[in-house]
Amino acid sequence: MTHQASSLFDAKIVVPALGDAFQKLDPRLMVKNPVMFVTLVGAVLTTAGIFTAATDRGFIAQLAVWLWFTVLFANFAEAVAEGRGKAQADSLRKARKDTMARRLRGKVEERVAAPDLQKGDLVVCETGDVIPADGEVIEGIASVDEAAITGESAPVVRESGGDRSAVTGGTKVISDRIVVRVTSEKGNAFLDRMISMVEGAQRQKTPNEIALTILLSALTLVFLLVCVTLKPFGTYSATVFSVPVLVALLVCLIPTTIGGLLSAIGISGIDRLIRRNVLATSGRAVEAAGDIDVLLLDKTGTITLGNRMASDFIPAPGVTAARLADAAQLASLADETPEGRSIAVLAKEKFGLRGRDVAEPHAKFVPFTAQTRMSGVDFPLADGKEARSIRKGAAASVKNHVLQLGGTYPEAVARSVDEVSRQGGTPLVVADGRDVLGVIHLKDVVKGGIKERFAQLRKMGIRTVMITGDNPLTAAAIAAEAGVDDFMAQATPEMKLQRIREEQAAGHLVAMTGDGTNDAPALAQADVGVAMNTGTQAAREAGNMVDLDSNPTKLIEIVEIGKQLLMTRGSLTTFSIANDIAKYFAIIPAMLMVTFPSIAPLNIMGLKSPDSAILSAIIFNALIIIALIPLALRGVAYRPIGALALLQRNVLIYGLGGILLPFGGIKLIDVIITTLHLV
Amino acid sequence: MNSSGWLQLAVFIGALALVTKPIGLYLVQVLDAKGRTWLDPVLQPLERLTYRIMGVDAAKEHDWRRYTLAMLLFSLASCVSTYAILRLQHLLPLNPQGLGPLSPDLAFNTAVSFTTNTNWQSYSGESTMSYLSQMVALTLHNFVSASVGIGIAAALVRAVSRHSAKTIGNFWVDLVRTTYFLLLPLCLVFAVVLVSQGMIQNFKPYTKARLVEPIKVSVEKKNDKGEIVLGADSGPVMEEQIVVEQLIVQGPMASQVAIKMLGTNGGGYANANAAHPYENPTPLSNFLQMLSIFAIGSGLTYYLGRMTKNQAHGWSVWGAMMTLFLAGVLVCWWAEARGNPVHQSLGIAALDGNMEGKEVRFGIFKSALFATITTDASCGAVNAMHDSFTAIGGVVPLFNMELGEVVIGGVGAGLYGMLVFVVLAVFIAGLMVGRTPEYLGKKIHAYDVKMAMLSLLVLTLSILGFTAWAAVSPWGLAGLNNTGPHGLSEILYAYSSATANNGSAFAGLTANTPWYNTTLGLAMLTGRFLMIVPIMALAGSLVQKKISPPSAGTFPVSGGTFIILLIGTVLLIGALNFLPVLALGPIVEHFLTAQGHLF
């Protein structure tokens, strides 16, 4: 499932958004955004001014039109962001409808989509059915394959009554029939929450959004004060400042650019997450993702490929590498584990040993057991060949085995075993009868490109901690190879939780991924807990995000989205405030020109007339909102180049650019409107 | 703009940089209840005795509420007692001249003025104040109002540097230690140095001197009771007098001047303030007075760096302040050196620029430098008449005060004011690095932004609100001697000065009226206490926060980028609000002067 934006302005989204922009003029909605509410009031006052003014009605009417546009453009931005988010969520919802449930209505069965199930519904599951939702078995007994959730392939028994009555959505009935009462809330709680986050009505402001709104409101109040007091100052200076002109000045000064785009930025942050198939329970979690400075990553599957691979044969003294490889290959022929296959493959690659017929007559394969901790193959005495008994396994087990047979365990092999362990590998010792042939070096294979990824994270100021059940020696070697900053060896779920608490106590914000039920406490404790979609229900409830792709490296993208969200807000705020300088230079001379013609040199942009200057400023102010909608939706690009470089870059673009751009923009608009004789 | 000026500027900045660290290090000891100084053997018994008398447990620290409450109660008590003394001075001892009580509004204005470290003087000291009033109003408040400011700054710095804590210090301990260990010894040394420069320090009666050249003046005729005789047109009757002798001021000047400068109080001993030959006898005394205005405020930035274990941050704050200072000096110096075009067209201009209202001993540069320093810091001492500066030259002091006096600023007040801008700069720019903004590891949330903006909003409201009211009300216009844009500048200057707790004035405004005394008093109270309360609330919030350890992703609060951002925030958030009214006042005046109008 990939969700690529077709284009920023899809007609299917834009057209309804145009209507929404007008609907959002409802003052009860507008008052949530103080900056735009003040603009709305200004637009109303100016509109009233058209009728009360004695002169200049055409000019005032144009001001009023552009003030209304300013408000509508901001509403439009929000509506477009909502539309995109909704479209995304809808397509997700559709995609997830494929699980069908057999709901019982009295005695009658009906097929409904899993997400439409209500709490308390009864569903029937028979052999081969996927259990559609979390629930409790109220009738029957069945064996259930919970591999998708627990990773345990052996089926478990689930029956009504007692401790074993709980079933989890997504697991599969292998035999028999059960009736399940749904215990979880309606269908896709996550998706529903997600959709409410992009819809205006239920949207909760995130902590940073609240703080920024306070800043913007306070600035609005300050500029309101500036414009209100200008009236008496004008009286003192024998100059009359009309209400529409004061409103124009006010709207230009208050941060309408960021005020108008603030909610669009927040919504599109959520939307970008959905696009990457990540569902979040709250906007707060998305914001927190930007702050993460410690990542706890499971080794297996995230940092290394799932399985260890054979990488080297280290023969015992007096044994050729080819003989060791040959024996190792024979012992592994029937070993269908990835490790076993990798041994056969390595032998073939290194020594050209072709895989022999596994079904060689008389060959008896000895499978791995927890008791012997060895596997291998036995050849009986036949066809003139000697009887052979080849074993491979953990060093201690093979040593015992050899010593029991009256053989010796060479010192050199013991040294090789230690050496391999020190390098982070897993040593397997191979013995043919009572002769120890040597050591196979099994190695964890670090994923390609992961080291660069961690280096990037380091530049972002994020520390990565590898979590593994390996012993400290192995863990350290892999950690060094993968380039993580720290590791936790022989980790248990309790240790994970403890570690998160310690990091948080030291002031860090921690993100982690998890899938098992025993990860749930840690996921809940982490500031950003991303549960894998394949994980247990407990894990998914505990985390504040779910990754539908179950890809642990996605944490990195989540962090980037969080950062982008905050950066976009900061950049547009800076831009908005920096714009004020040029607007002052446009409007203040225009306001004073009539009474004090000598102030003309202050009109550094050389704007045509006071009216054209004021109108140009207000038009620029409205158009910049439209111009910046794509940026608000896409977000300011995040580059992992370190905070200082990033800051300098953004200050240059949005700070300095914010100071300079309106000078050119206002001048250009002034030229256009005077050419068109609008003023 | 001559090379001697450049040289003096360089020497001044160099000297300031040199004293910053030692003062900062000393402040670390003074502002720590357990700090050690080499004055301990002398002052510690006195300190302990004071605590015992006041019933203060020096080992106990308080949260922001108790600290603020103690500060407010102390200020209220000292303000009310000063008010009472001023109102009752005719009944109290040490009043040999038999001066009458102050009017309620003047007493209110004066009591507030000294309590708030403003030292706005609506009166002429020698003809209004008894010795007791002078000693209580001037001397006591000069010390304790400075100590209060430093204490508040220290509390805020503690809040920034501590984490997961509740308490931010003990107001009484800060007050006592700052007064005893910092201000008293520094003033003692400084006074002696000033005396060495020829500043007077005595208890002699005023000296009568015969004028070499008697002068003729026209004065209002008074009857036997000392009332002004009114003529037929109900205006005062004027009579001519020949003046043949002059009264020369005497008294314990050096000790007063020392605390006036070090505590950024600024109330002059003589009416001419630092332009008086006794109050500023030599170029060296002028230099040292300027240095002493900035000394403690500058040292506090080092204290900030030391306490937060980020000295680069301390120096960066200092660097931002010095950049703004330098810009102010250069504009003011340039405008004054350029002179008044009207004077030039009449051929009566001094060669080196606008010398109107300036002391010839100091000239253009030293006047411009002094004016910038005294308004950057909330000192208010003057060695030239700011009212007579060119329009643009006069914008600089005005603008400095409207920034909220954050360029070094009043002792303590400058630092806590600047830290508000630091929090805002960190909040806005911090977002641009893609993290929840944090200041030295402390995340800035809605409450912090609210308090920071509230403290700024209060300043804007007070300056613009009162100025607007004065500009259209009959009471406000009654005090105006100049019309047009210059008159507006004078009103604006008065309320900027009062709100910023500066105390300097554009002369030309008759402010000793009940209306001005009351509104200016309210502006001073607003600028001091309504600003401090939200800042202390901010401190209370910051001190509880955890500190996230710095990483490569952390917003840097030191270095050039930070300095630029901080300056940008000060200018865009703090000053942009005043552009329209400045345009109607000094900026219009500037363009009109260029066309030959004078005000």
Side-chain angles (χ1 to χ4, degrees):
Chain A
M1 239 181 346
T2 51
H3 304 271
Q4 285 306 315
S6 43
S7 79
L8 275 178
F9 295 104
D10 190 337
K12 266 184 265 164
I13 290 165
V14 169
V15 175
L18 286 174
D20 287 350
F22 283 91
Q23 273 182 12
K24 283 172 185 285
L25 286 176
D26 185 341
R28 282 166 301 177
L29 295 177
M30 291 293 297
V31 82
K32 284 189 185 173
N33 184 341
V35 180
M36 295 321 289
F37 185 72
V38 168
T39 313
L40 179 75
V41 173
V44 171
L45 283 178
T46 311
T47 311
I50 305 174
F51 305 101
T52 54
T55 53
D56 261 356
R57 283 189 174 173
F59 168 67
I60 296 171
Q62 288 191 64
L63 274 186
V65 167
W66 283 103
L67 287 172
W68 284 109
F69 273 146
T70 312
V71 181
L72 288 171
F73 288 168
N75 287 350
F76 176 71
E78 187 179 285
V80 169
E82 282 177 15
R84 280 159 55 87
K86 263 188 261 183
Q88 210 64 54
D90 283 345
S91 75
L92 261 186
R93 202 200 275 276
K94 269 187 213 127
R96 308 243 312 145
K97 270 192 178 157
D98 46 16
T99 317
M100 297 303 279
R102 296 159 59 187
R103 183 164 62 186
L104 276 181
R105 282 277 153 117
K107 293 276 171 202
V108 191
E109 240 186 73
E110 58 184 8
R111 293 186 70 81
V112 295
D116 293 338
L117 285 175
Q118 304 275 335
K119 187 174 178 178
D121 281 348
L122 301 182
V123 292
V124 178
C125 300
E126 278 183 303
T127 309
D129 286 347
V130 172
I131 297 173
D134 288 5
E136 194 185 354
V137 180
I138 57 161
E139 196 187 312
I141 177 167
S143 57
V144 177
D145 174 8
E146 295 195 335
I149 284 157
T150 57
E152 179 63 57
S153 55
V156 292
V157 172
R158 293 286 176 245
E159 60 186 330
S160 60
D163 294 344
R164 299 187 292 175
S165 67
V167 289
T168 312
T171 55
K172 197 172 178 183
V173 176
I174 304 182
S175 68
D176 305 292
R177 174 182 186 272
I178 46 173
V179 177
V180 174
R181 187 200 290 124
V182 176
T183 53
S184 63
E185 277 303 334
K186 187 185 166 193
N188 247 310
F190 261 102
L191 253 184
D192 293 330
R193 265 184 258 174
M194 205 73 187
I195 288 169
S196 75
M197 276 163 62
V198 297
E199 275 169 356
Q202 291 105 7
R203 194 169 50 244
Q204 295 284 317
K205 283 188 177 145
T206 57
N208 176 260
E209 211 174 346
I210 293 170
L212 191 54
T213 306
I214 287 173
L215 177 83
L216 300 179
S217 308
L219 283 177
T220 305
L221 215 55
V222 166
F223 287 122
L224 193 63
L225 209 61
V226 169
C227 293
V228 168
T229 52
L230 255 183
K231 192 82 184 161
F233 291 143
T235 310
Y236 173 91
S237 312
T239 312
V240 179
F241 298 131
S242 72
V243 172
V245 168
L246 287 176
V247 167
L249 177 66
L250 176 63
V251 171
C252 278
L253 293 182
I254 62 176
T256 49
T257 313
I258 177 67
L261 294 172
L262 190 56
S263 55
I265 295 169
I267 299 167
S268 62
I270 308 273
D271 177 50
R272 279 198 296 279
L273 265 190
I274 307 179
R275 263 168 224 283
R276 285 176 178 75
N277 280 340
V278 177
L279 305 183
T281 50
S282 68
R284 185 189 284 260
V286 187
E287 236 173 58
D291 290 348
I292 291 305
D293 51 5
V294 175
L295 280 187
L296 297 191
L297 296 171
D298 276 322
K299 182 198 79 176
T300 309
T302 310
I303 296 169
T304 60
L305 296 170
N307 313 297
R308 280 172 285 214
M309 313 277 270
S311 71
D312 200 7
F313 296 111
I314 309 159
V319 181
T320 62
R323 184 176 167 215
L324 169 62
D326 178 65
Q329 194 184 40
L330 279 173
S332 305
L333 281 178
D335 188 350
E336 281 302 314
T337 62
E339 284 91 353
R341 258 176 294 164
S342 77
I343 295 172
V345 169
L346 184 71
K348 185 172 117 190
E349 280 175 357
K350 276 200 143 170
F351 301 99
L353 298 171
R354 307 219 45 90
R356 276 145 294 186
D357 189 359
V358 182
E360 199 170 324
H362 319 302
K364 191 176 147 245
F365 295 102
V366 181
F368 177 87
T369 68
Q371 283 78 39
T372 61
R373 295 176 68 207
M374 292 185 298
S375 65
V377 64
D378 286 338
F379 297 101
L381 183 77
D383 306 336
K385 281 185 194 166
E386 264 180 85
R388 284 177 84 188
S389 168
I390 304 173
R391 291 288 181 277
K392 69 173 202 291
S397 310
V398 176
K399 184 176 175 185
N400 270 341
H401 170 77
V402 173
L403 294 179
Q404 267 173 22
L405 292 176
T408 54
Y409 188 74
E411 193 58 28
V413 171
R415 275 200 302 275
S416 303
V417 166
D418 285 347
E419 180 59 26
V420 169
S421 294
R422 212 174 4 260
Q423 289 170 18
T426 308
L428 287 184
V429 179
V430 180
D432 188 349
R434 43 188 257 187
D435 301 332
V436 177
L437 299 181
V439 180
I440 308 168
H441 186 171
L442 285 184
K443 205 175 163 185
D444 254 317
V445 181
V446 171
K447 280 186 175 176
I450 200 86
K451 193 164 188 168
E452 291 69 34
R453 213 70 204 265
F454 290 143
Q456 244 180 32
L457 284 171
R458 205 165 299 120
K459 271 192 193 153
M460 288 160 76
I462 298 172
R463 203 149 47 80
T464 42
V465 180
M466 182 181 82
I467 312 275
T468 172
D470 293 339
N471 65 56
L473 218 60
T474 312
I478 297 169
E481 189 180 347
V484 294
D485 300 284
D486 198 359
F487 64 91
M488 254 177 93
Q490 287 163 343
T492 60
E494 296 73 44
M495 285 170 67
K496 250 195 227 184
L497 183 62
Q498 183 59 29
R499 175 67 182 248
I500 293 176
R501 292 215 172 111
E502 280 165 15
E503 295 282 0
Q504 285 172 336
H508 294 288
L509 273 99
V510 185
M512 70 165 284
T513 57
D515 48 10
T517 301
N518 53 22
D519 281 334
L523 278 173
Q525 179 71 35
D527 300 283
V528 173
V530 183
M532 299 294 103
N533 194 39
T534 51
T536 60
Q537 191 64 23
R540 292 168 43 164
E541 289 294 324
N544 43 20
M545 289 189 196
V546 173
D547 177 17
L548 299 178
D549 297 339
S550 305
N551 169 9
T553 36
K554 202 172 278 177
L555 253 183
I556 297 167
E557 285 173 58
I558 294 173
V559 168
E560 281 182 2
I561 289 173
K563 287 194 177 298
Q564 264 194 323
L565 177 72
L566 297 171
M567 272 170 50
T568 312
R569 279 190 201 139
S571 300
L572 290 186
T573 305
T574 308
F575 182 82
S576 200
I577 297 172
N579 272 344
D580 279 2
I581 297 175
K583 290 171 187 168
Y584 266 128
F585 273 104
I587 297 186
I588 293 291
M591 289 173 75
L592 303 186
M593 200 78 98
V594 180
T595 317
F596 305 104
S598 54
I599 207 165
L602 215 53
N603 179 10
I604 54 173
M605 280 175 271
L607 304 178
K608 192 82 181 166
S609 67
D611 282 2
S612 81
I614 293 168
L615 197 58
S616 304
I618 209 84
I619 292 176
F620 176 84
N621 193 51
L623 291 182
I624 199 75
I625 295 180
I626 284 286
L628 289 176
I629 289 178
L631 184 70
L633 295 184
R634 261 190 284 111
V636 170
Y638 177 78
R639 281 152 213 262
I641 47 177
L644 185 62
L646 200 62
L647 183 64
Q648 285 168 344
R649 192 185 139 83
N650 287 333
V651 167
L652 211 61
I653 298 176
Y654 300 99
L656 192 62
I659 292 174
L660 298 178
L661 178 74
F663 280 101
I666 291 173
K667 175 71 188 171
L668 183 69
I669 295 170
D670 181 72
V671 171
I672 294 172
I673 60 175
T674 45
T675 315
L676 296 175
H677 297 289
L678 290 174
V679 282
Chain B
M1 297 176 86
N2 48 23
S3 51
S4 114
W6 288 107
L7 195 66
Q8 291 177 58
L9 188 57
V11 170
F12 177 77
I13 293 175
L16 185 65
L18 282 180
V19 301
T20 299
K21 182 175 173 179
I23 291 180
L25 287 176
Y26 188 64
L27 278 165
V28 172
Q29 297 304 322
V30 169
L31 293 170
D32 178 354
K34 298 186 200 73
R36 308 209 143 269
T37 70
W38 50 274
L39 289 168
D40 284 355
V42 188
L43 292 173
Q44 228 165 30
L46 186 64
E47 184 193 1
R48 292 213 190 95
L49 182 67
T50 314
Y51 292 149
R52 205 167 310 141
I53 294 169
M54 299 198 316
V56 169
D57 177 3
K60 200 165 183 295
E61 291 210 345
H62 298 144
D63 65 6
W64 78 269
R65 284 193 183 83
R66 276 206 59 188
Y67 194 104
T68 313
L69 192 67
M71 184 276 295
L72 289 175
L73 286 177
F74 173 77
S75 301
L76 181 70
S78 62
C79 187
V80 168
S81 59
T82 307
Y83 178 82
I85 290 170
L86 296 178
R87 294 282 290 142
L88 301 172
Q89 68 172 0
H90 58 296
L91 305 174
L92 296 170
L94 289 173
N95 188 3
Q97 294 96 328
L99 293 165
L102 271 69
S103 67
D105 56 283
L106 182 60
F108 165 73
N109 181 287
T110 308
V112 165
S113 169
F114 283 91
T115 308
T116 56
N117 194 252
T118 311
N119 296 23
W120 172 275
Q121 291 159 300
S122 271
Y123 57 87
S124 165
E126 47 271 50
S127 59
T128 318
M129 295 287 176
S130 72
Y131 286 163
L132 183 74
S133 301
Q134 289 274 20
M135 280 161 62
V136 174
L138 281 165
T139 317
L140 183 68
H141 278 295
N142 279 357
F143 278 96
V144 295
S145 68
S147 295
V148 166
I150 295 172
I152 298 287
L156 182 59
V157 171
R158 286 183 200 122
V160 173
S161 56
R162 292 175 183 178
H163 65 95
S164 321
K166 277 210 140 51
T167 61
I168 55 174
N170 182 321
F171 170 73
W172 306 106
V173 172
D174 284 343
L175 180 72
V176 168
R177 285 189 64 86
T178 309
T179 310
Y180 288 180
F181 287 90
L182 180 72
L183 296 177
L184 280 173
L186 267 181
C187 286
L188 194 68
V189 174
F190 190 36
V192 171
V193 173
L194 289 174
V195 168
S196 80
Q197 292 303 302
M199 192 176 290
I200 54 169
Q201 177 76 16
N202 59 40
F203 294 96
K204 282 192 269 183
Y206 290 1
T207 308
K208 268 186 188 168
R210 288 200 72 80
L211 290 181
V212 179
E213 193 180 341
I215 51 169
K216 204 188 280 181
V217 294
S218 168
V219 296
E220 290 158 343
K221 190 176 174 185
K222 293 185 179 169
N223 61 17
D224 305 338
K225 291 176 196 157
E227 293 159 343
I228 294 164
V229 178
L230 297 182
D233 58 348
S234 74
V237 174
M238 305 304 283
E239 60 179 3
E240 283 198 345
Q241 277 185 357
I242 308 274
V243 179
V244 292
E245 57 183 20
Q246 176 190 10
L247 268 184
I248 298 174
V249 70
Q250 296 292 339
M253 190 182 265
S255 57
Q256 292 286 347
V257 168
I259 184 62
K260 154 190 154 190
M261 295 305 185
L262 282 165
T264 60
N265 291 290
Y269 189 93
N271 198 34
N273 213 314
H276 193 284
Y278 277 175
E279 203 157 340
N280 198 356
T282 64
L284 183 60
S285 76
N286 189 57
F287 181 84
L288 291 175
Q289 289 194 39
M290 292 191 295
L291 193 62
S292 61
I293 295 175
F294 268 5
I296 294 177
S298 184
L300 275 167
T301 63
Y302 192 88
Y303 171 75
L304 169 72
R306 194 37 90 106
M307 290 296 284
T308 58
K309 299 193 178 63
N310 188 342
Q311 207 61 62
H313 173 56
W315 282 118
S316 297
V317 169
W318 189 83
M321 288 175 167
M322 288 323 274
T323 312
L324 285 166
F325 157 73
L326 203 60
V329 174
L330 293 182
V331 169
C332 190
W333 182 20
W334 168 80
E336 294 310 299
R338 205 163 145 266
N340 185 329
V342 180
H343 291 180
Q344 283 153 358
S345 65
L346 294 174
I348 56 167
L351 276 179
D352 48 355
N354 175 33
M355 279 301 290
E356 183 192 325
K358 291 190 179 61
E359 169 72 5
V360 186
R361 293 183 297 137
F362 301 129
I364 302 286
F365 174 75
K366 285 192 189 72
S367 301
L369 181 63
F370 202 108
T372 310
I373 290 171
T374 195
T375 50
D376 273 340
S378 72
C379 182
V382 291
N383 76 354
M385 298 305 283
H386 295 180
D387 196 30
S388 302
F389 277 23
T390 61
I392 297 301
V395 165
V396 172
L398 198 49
F399 195 70
N400 283 341
M401 294 188 296
E402 284 163 356
L403 289 179
E405 308 255 275
V406 294
V407 183
I408 301 294
V411 285
L415 185 65
Y416 62 67
M418 193 55 148
L419 287 183
V420 167
F421 282 111
V422 169
V423 166
L424 291 174
V426 162
F427 181 75
I428 298 170
L431 279 174
M432 283 195 285
V433 302
R435 289 254 292 243
T436 296
E438 47 187 43
Y439 173 40
L440 291 168
K442 300 194 161 183
K443 300 228 179 297
I444 306 297
H445 288 303
Y447 182 82
D448 313 305
V449 174
K450 196 188 290 174
M451 291 305 140
M453 285 308 287
L454 197 58
S455 70
L456 291 186
L457 202 59
V458 159
L459 294 185
T460 314
L461 179 68
S462 174
I463 296 177
L464 288 181
F466 281 119
T467 307
W469 190 13
V472 288
S473 69
W475 313 289
L477 295 171
L480 221 50
N481 297 334
N482 296 81
T483 52
H486 194 74
L488 187 62
S489 302
E490 285 172 355
I491 299 175
L492 181 64
Y493 196 101
Y495 288 104
S496 301
S497 174
T499 305
N501 299 142
N502 184 283
S504 70
F506 259 12
L509 187 70
T510 309
N512 190 8
T513 67
W515 192 81
Y516 269 112
N517 277 335
T518 311
T519 52
L520 285 168
L522 291 175
M524 289 186 264
L525 285 174
T526 308
R528 180 79 165 184
F529 298 111
L530 289 190
M531 186 182 176
I532 285 181
V533 172
I535 290 177
M536 290 302 275
L538 175 67
S541 160
L542 286 176
V543 76
Q544 293 177 24
K545 291 177 194 271
K546 289 192 288 190
I547 291 185
S548 331
S551 73
T554 309
F555 177 84
V557 286
S558 59
T561 310
F562 172 71
I563 292 179
I564 291 171
L565 284 170
L566 184 55
I567 293 172
T569 309
V570 170
L571 293 178
L572 288 178
I573 307 277
L576 221 48
N577 331 324
F578 298 102
L579 256 171
V581 67
L582 288 177
L584 278 166
I587 294 174
V588 161
E589 185 187 337
H590 168 76
F591 286 111
L592 291 177
T593 311
Q595 295 187 339
H597 295 273
L598 277 185
F599 298 95

